[in-house]
């Protein structure tokens, strides 16, 4: 620090205010460097988030994702071959969607030179070598068959299908049209399920978070000393977190299988239980099991964070405490814990939000059955199992709002705690 | 906490003799309690371990474990005949009516089981009781002994809960259906089968296209790492080094994205990809994966960049380099360790990703490993195949992780913990 300047030179000690050209240039460079990230994040995160709000007030089913199409099939019936043969030129039209209308339906086809057309149906008109049929708006499930009598006037040189009919039709999609509904939200909130789902989510989140942090704290205490093999143990204890979730989830399912799982065989042989326990299929037990899995899978993360913080605590305070006769438990309670409180609370908030967001684990272990359906699993359940995309989106909106609340709390807290 | 287990300075706040705390701290009582606790712990551990190793029946008896443990604890504290006590304990273990761990197995297994249990017990007690006096002990000595037990217990407990699922995964993949049904506890390896042990793996690669899945996973993960770094390095540099209004807001915004649940994004992405036909394409997946990893990478890297001395970069600027050249020629070479750990972490996320792969990929030619394993989850596919698939997905990421563990843990810690 330079010594304070005398008051006459006050300008030198106060940094210049406002933005000079240099600062503006620096800001320009910064935004240029950030632009690609901002752009891609906006497309892949912000857009979908906005889309979720839009979809949540639309009556969208899974089947609506494929826009309705006008299907036209064309054939020549009566096998006319020689000049003078009579036959029927037939078109079959169909709206591919059973319930969505298609607007301004019409099609055009080239009339083969060799054919002489008979009487045309009402919707069709021939001008020159072009046949045009128009139907206006057609409802969902609409079908039409057009038969045009023909006579072969010249040598048939090829199939009639050489020219395909050209279709004009405007299909509106539920995703983009003006129909709105609040039924999705009504469904989500009205059902008795909702309270249950919220309860399950809270249980899973709260106990999963606390459990993972407590276990992480123990593991960190174990490894906060140097001994031979410390590195190996630390690596081993991180395995649950590093391994693919699908691999460990299936390993747990097979280990705890009620019919042929080793855990049940072991428990029965040790005399703990008489008959096999269905860990992931019984009502209250399944929720406890998936929470235990969550704790098992994420204690490594907490332990890593806590260990890093522990190793940055200076050792001399413990030496001083030892000299003063503080016992190991006293040292833990009065020296270590206060030092760890900051990281523990940050971890709690982070893990709380992440556990709240967790989907894969429960989906793989129980599929949301046996009383383990959390909010995130409910999104999938509504959107894909019941095929009601709109309802799924409504649940997603509920999640997002919860999350905004958590985040607001988180940032208030973390800015105080960690000076972020 | 790790305190040097020395300094038997008497505690100034020692409770008066005769109080419950003082009773617990009496050497004989402490030794009995710790002995009982150790023998119970070890008989359960050895029983589980031996069951998994041999498939034979081991049933820890908690009552006799308690009795024998307490007795032996007191004996080990007061007497010096360690080998005599150990021999007596082995005899007790082998005599079924009073055994802390009755076994039904071949004589060899019996002796090995009893030997492991008792040698482990005596060794653990020897370490735990070191420094404990036979009479009244002060609080420091007592707690140090308790902590030595808790530490040993903790190592056993954590190692067991972490290792057992992976052990089961690995060993199940070497079995066939008949063996699995015959004894679900038997995880011993039948080496006489030779190459037949790897039959599940062979079938996965020949009949279930796991070669393609492995290649896809590898390609996608590496591409994700490169794309992430491409976006995150300039971004992190800007946030760490340059001053601009909105920097703090940006710093927080990054974290905010990190908190958006994937399932909320997955639904609109699924719809958009369905409409535009990007589903079932690796390109589609590669548009999404990097975005999920950029926030983490950016956050980790900016933490590291901040720790680098700005003077070197300023010197570079003075010498006529522009910002991009400074990043390329000065900052990046200095942050290779951080880049290694970020890459590793991003690779791990991309490799393990399940939800998006599951929702967006339906065509087996585009499957990643995780999606491939999910497709094995049906009643028609035997479960040793499922486990073999899991092993195939786990081994590369584990190998990478163990090989570069130092980068991994350091990077994770640097990125996530401030101060």
């Amino acid at each position: 620090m330079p010594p304070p300047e005398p008051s006459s030179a006050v300008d030198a000690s106060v940094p210049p205010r406002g933005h000079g050209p240099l600062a503006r240039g620096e800001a320009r460079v910064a935004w240029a460097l950030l632009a690609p990230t901002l752009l891609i994040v906006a497309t892949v995160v912000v857009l979908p988030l906005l889309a979720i709000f839009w979809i949540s007030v639309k009556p969208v089913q899974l089947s609506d994702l494929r826009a309705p199409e006008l299907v036209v099939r064309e054939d020549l019936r009566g096998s006319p071959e020689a000049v003078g043969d009579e036959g029927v030129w037939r078109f079959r039209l169909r709206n591919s969607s059973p319930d969505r209308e298609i607007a301004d339906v019409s099609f055009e086809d080239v009339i083969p030179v060799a054919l002489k057309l008979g009487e045309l149906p009402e919707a069709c008109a021939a001008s020159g070598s072009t046949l045009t049929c128009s139907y206006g708006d057609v409802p969902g499930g609409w079908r039409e068959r057009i038969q045009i009598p023909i006579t072969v006037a010249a040598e048939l040189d090829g199939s009639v299908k050489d020219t395909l009919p050209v279709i004009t039709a405007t299909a509106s999609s539920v995703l983009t049209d003006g129909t709105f509904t609040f039924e999705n939200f009504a469904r989500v909130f009205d059902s008795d399920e909702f309270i249950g789902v919220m309860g399950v989510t809270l249980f899973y989140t709260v106990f999963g978070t606390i459990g993972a942090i407590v276990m992480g704290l123990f593991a960190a205490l174990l490894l906060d000393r140097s001994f031979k093999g410390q590195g190996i143990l630390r690596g081993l204890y991180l395995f649950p977190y590093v391994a693919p979730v699908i691999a460990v989830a299936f390993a747990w399912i097979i280990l705890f299988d009620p019919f042929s799982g080793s855990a049940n065989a072991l428990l029965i042989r040790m005399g703990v239980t008489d008959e096999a326990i269905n860990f992931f299929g019984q009502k209250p037990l399944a929720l406890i099991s998936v929470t235990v899995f969550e704790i098992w899978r994420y204690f490594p993360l907490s332990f890593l964070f806590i260990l890093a913080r522990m190793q940055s605590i200076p050792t001399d305070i413990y030496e001083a405490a030892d000299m003063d006769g503080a016992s190991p438990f006293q040292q833990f309670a009065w020296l270590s814990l206060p030092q760890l409180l900051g990281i523990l609370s940050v971890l709690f908030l982070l893990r709380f939000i992440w556990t709240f967001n967790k989907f894969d684990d429960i989906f793989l272990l129980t599929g949301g059955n046996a009383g383990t359906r959390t909010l995130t699993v409910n999104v999938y359940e509504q959107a894909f199992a019941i095929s009601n995309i709109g309802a799924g989106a409504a649940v997603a909106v509920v999640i997002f709002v919860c999350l905004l609340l958590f985040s607001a709390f988180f940032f208030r807290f973390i800015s105080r705690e960690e000076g972020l | 906490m790790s305190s040097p287990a020395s300094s038997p300075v008497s505690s100034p706040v020692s409770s008066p003799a005769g109080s419950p705390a003082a009773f617990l701290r009496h050497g004989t009582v402490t030794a009995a309690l710790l002995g009982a606790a150790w023998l119970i712990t070890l008989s359960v551990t050895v029983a589980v371990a031996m069951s998994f190793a041999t498939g034979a029946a081991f049933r820890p008896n908690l009552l006799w474990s308690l009795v024998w443990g307490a007795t032996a604890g007191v004996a080990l504290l007061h007497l010096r005949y360690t080998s005599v006590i150990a021999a007596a304990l082995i005899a007790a273990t082998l005599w079924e009516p009073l055994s802390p761990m009755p076994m039904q197995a071949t004589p060899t297994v019996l002796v090995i089981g009893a030997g492991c249990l008792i040698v482990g017990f005596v060794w653990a007690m020897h370490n735990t009781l070191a420094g404990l006096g036979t009479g009244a002990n002060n609080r420091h000595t007592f707690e140090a002994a308790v902590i030595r037990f808790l530490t040993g217990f903790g190592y056993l407990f954590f190692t067991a809960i972490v290792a057992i699922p992976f052990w089961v995964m690995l060993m199940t993949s070497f079995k066939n259906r008949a063996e699995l049904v015959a004894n679900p506890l038997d995880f011993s390896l039948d080496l006489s089968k030779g190459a037949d042990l790897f039959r599940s793996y062979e079938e996965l690669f020949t009949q279930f296209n796991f070669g393609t899945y492995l290649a896809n996973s590898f390609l996608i993960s590496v591409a994700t790492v490169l794309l992430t770094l491409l976006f995150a390095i300039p971004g992190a540099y800007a946030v760490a080094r340059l001053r601009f209004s909105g920097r703090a807001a940006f710093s927080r915004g990054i974290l905010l994205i990190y908190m958006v649940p994937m399932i909320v994004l997955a639904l609109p992405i699924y719809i958009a990809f369905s409409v535009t036909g990007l589903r079932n394409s690796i390109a589609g997946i590669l548009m999404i994966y990097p975005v999920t990893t950029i926030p983490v990478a950016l956050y980790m890297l900016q933490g590291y960049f901040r720790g680098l001395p700005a003077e070197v970069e300023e010197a570079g600027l003075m010498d006529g380099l522009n910002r991009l050249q400074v990043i390329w020629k000065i900052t990046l070479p200095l942050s290779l360790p951080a880049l290694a750990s970020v890459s590793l972490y991003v690779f791990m996320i991309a490799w393990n990703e399940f939800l998006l792969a599951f929702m967006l990929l339906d065509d087996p030619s585009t499957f990643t490993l995780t999606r491939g394993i999910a497709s094995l989850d049906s009643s028609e596919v035997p479960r040793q195949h499922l486990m073999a698939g899991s092993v195939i997905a786990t081994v590369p990421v584990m190998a990478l992780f163990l090989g570069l563990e130092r980068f991994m843990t350091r990077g994770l810690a640097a990125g996530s913990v401030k101060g």
Side-chain angles (χ1 to χ4, degrees), chain A residues 93-330:
Chain A
L93 295 87
R94 181 167 69 83
N95 180 348
S96 72
S97 157
D99 47 10
R100 314 259 329 142
E101 75 161 32
I102 305 179
D104 302 327
V105 173
S106 66
F107 71 91
E108 283 182 1
D109 203 351
V110 179
I111 303 170
V113 203
L115 296 186
K116 190 172 164 331
L117 303 190
E119 195 191 345
L120 292 176
E122 207 178 318
C124 299
S127 67
S129 65
T130 315
L131 174 77
T132 313
C133 299
S134 45
Y135 293 91
D137 301 354
V138 301
W142 175 81
R143 278 165 191 282
E144 181 72 31
R145 177 180 297 192
I146 307 167
Q147 314 218 30
I148 302 171
I150 48 121
T151 329
V152 180
E155 195 67 32
L156 274 178
D157 50 354
S159 167
V160 182
K161 287 185 185 171
D162 276 356
T163 57
L164 290 171
V166 182
I167 305 164
T168 354
T170 348
S172 72
S173 163
V174 204
L175 284 170
T176 48
D177 68 8
T179 45
F180 293 98
T181 174
F182 279 103
E183 206 190 315
N184 295 329
F185 284 98
R187 272 178 70 127
V188 169
F189 287 113
D190 268 0
S191 56
D192 300 335
E193 269 177 11
F194 187 72
I195 309 243
V197 168
M198 269 322 249
V200 168
T201 310
L202 278 182
F203 179 94
Y204 179 70
T205 309
V206 169
F207 288 99
T209 306
I210 294 177
I213 291 180
V214 170
M215 292 277 283
L217 182 61
F218 279 129
L221 285 171
L222 285 179
L223 290 178
D224 185 30
R225 57 189 78 210
S226 44
F227 56 91
K228 226 182 185 174
Q230 193 244 19
I232 295 171
L233 269 192
R234 193 174 54 180
L236 179 71
Y237 290 0
L238 288 171
F239 269 21
Y241 177 66
V242 180
V245 59
I246 187 162
V248 288
F250 282 142
W252 271 59
I253 292 178
I254 282 178
L255 178 59
F256 289 101
D257 189 273
F259 303 110
S260 52
S262 320
N264 270 312
L266 194 68
L267 289 178
I268 291 174
R269 197 163 291 179
M270 285 187 174
V272 179
T273 167
D274 289 335
E275 52 189 69
I277 304 170
N278 193 353
F279 285 97
F280 290 108
Q282 266 168 23
K283 194 111 199 215
L285 193 59
L287 181 56
I288 295 172
S289 303
V290 293
T291 312
V292 169
F293 178 81
E294 162 80 14
I295 295 172
W296 178 82
R297 193 162 135 70
Y298 289 100
F299 87 85
L301 195 73
S302 325
F303 122 71
L304 209 57
F305 283 27
I306 296 170
L307 188 62
R309 183 77 188 85
M310 269 180 182
Q311 286 173 342
S312 69
I313 301 176
T315 50
D316 47 2
I317 59 171
Y318 294 107
E319 283 157 20
D322 247 355
M323 295 305 286
D324 289 344
S327 74
F329 282 116
Q330 283 173 323

Side-chain angles (χ1 to χ4, degrees), chain B residues 31-361:
Chain B
L33 287 176
L34 291 178
W38 261 125
L39 197 57
I40 291 175
T41 310
L42 287 174
S43 63
V44 173
T45 312
V46 173
V48 172
M50 293 296 283
S51 294
F52 279 157
T54 65
F58 293 82
R59 174 186 288 208
N61 185 317
L62 298 187
L63 179 68
W64 288 118
S65 295
L66 189 118
V67 172
W68 285 116
T71 317
V74 174
L76 283 169
L77 181 71
H78 288 280
L79 309 173
R80 301 210 167 271
Y81 313 109
T82 312
S83 44
V84 177
I85 298 171
L89 280 173
I90 289 183
T93 311
L94 290 175
W95 190 43
E96 208 184 317
L98 292 183
S99 172
M101 189 183 69
M103 301 168 271
Q104 290 148 9
T106 58
T108 327
V109 174
L110 273 175
V111 172
I112 293 176
C116 285
L117 177 65
I118 299 311
V119 169
F121 173 74
V122 171
W123 181 73
M125 283 305 281
H126 178 75
N127 286 331
T128 310
L129 296 182
L132 195 74
T134 49
N137 284 293
N138 66 24
R139 191 168 167 176
H140 201 291
T141 324
F142 166 72
E143 286 183 9
V146 172
I147 283 179
R148 281 196 292 273
F149 163 71
L150 288 178
T151 310
F153 174 80
Y155 288 133
L156 282 177
F157 175 75
F158 278 103
T159 308
I161 61 164
V162 169
I164 286 176
F166 289 100
W167 182 250
V168 168
M169 185 199 291
L170 185 66
M171 287 302 151
T172 307
S173 72
F174 293 134
K175 301 265 160 190
N176 60 40
R177 197 192 288 266
E179 290 168 325
L180 286 171
V181 172
N183 185 359
L185 264 185
D186 188 358
F187 285 110
S188 57
L189 218 49
D190 186 5
L191 287 176
S192 61
K193 276 165 50 178
D196 217 26
L197 278 176
F198 296 96
R199 195 160 159 190
S200 299
Y201 295 90
E202 192 200 316
E203 284 178 10
L204 282 183
F205 278 104
T206 51
Q207 294 166 25
F208 291 87
N209 286 329
F210 260 60
T212 318
Y213 305 163
L214 199 64
N216 282 346
S217 262
F218 194 74
L219 176 80
I220 288 179
S221 305
V222 170
T224 304
V225 170
L226 295 178
L227 283 172
T228 304
L229 288 183
L230 192 68
F231 282 94
I233 289 172
Y237 183 84
V239 174
R241 269 288 179 271
L242 304 174
R243 274 158 303 182
F244 57 98
S245 48
R247 183 161 101 164
F250 190 85
S251 214
R252 286 179 184 195
I254 301 169
L255 272 184
L256 209 62
I257 290 166
Y258 202 18
M259 290 175 192
V260 177
M262 198 29 84
I263 183 82
V264 170
L265 296 183
L267 191 56
I269 288 173
Y270 176 86
I271 294 172
F273 276 27
S274 294
V275 173
T276 55
L278 275 168
R279 265 176 67 198
N280 285 325
S281 71
I282 289 181
I285 287 282
L286 276 181
M287 288 167 67
I288 308 296
Y289 277 12
V291 184
T292 64
T293 51
I294 284 173
V296 202
L298 211 156
Y299 189 69
M300 284 165 77
L301 281 177
Q302 60 115 14
Y304 192 87
F305 287 166
R306 261 190 204 148
L308 292 178
E311 290 78 7
V312 194
E313 291 172 18
E314 279 156 17
L317 283 176
M318 296 301 284
D319 287 346
L321 297 179
N322 65 32
R323 281 284 176 188
L324 285 177
Q325 286 169 321
V326 165
I327 296 179
W328 183 249
K329 290 194 172 145
I330 297 176
T331 315
L332 286 189
L334 283 175
S335 31
L336 281 181
L339 291 180
S341 46
V342 170
S343 306
L344 209 66
Y345 190 56
V346 169
F347 185 91
M348 184 191 98
I349 295 180
W351 182 272
N352 291 351
E353 208 287 329
F354 163 72
L355 172 62
L356 288 170
F358 180 72
M359 286 179 76
L360 301 179
L361 302 177

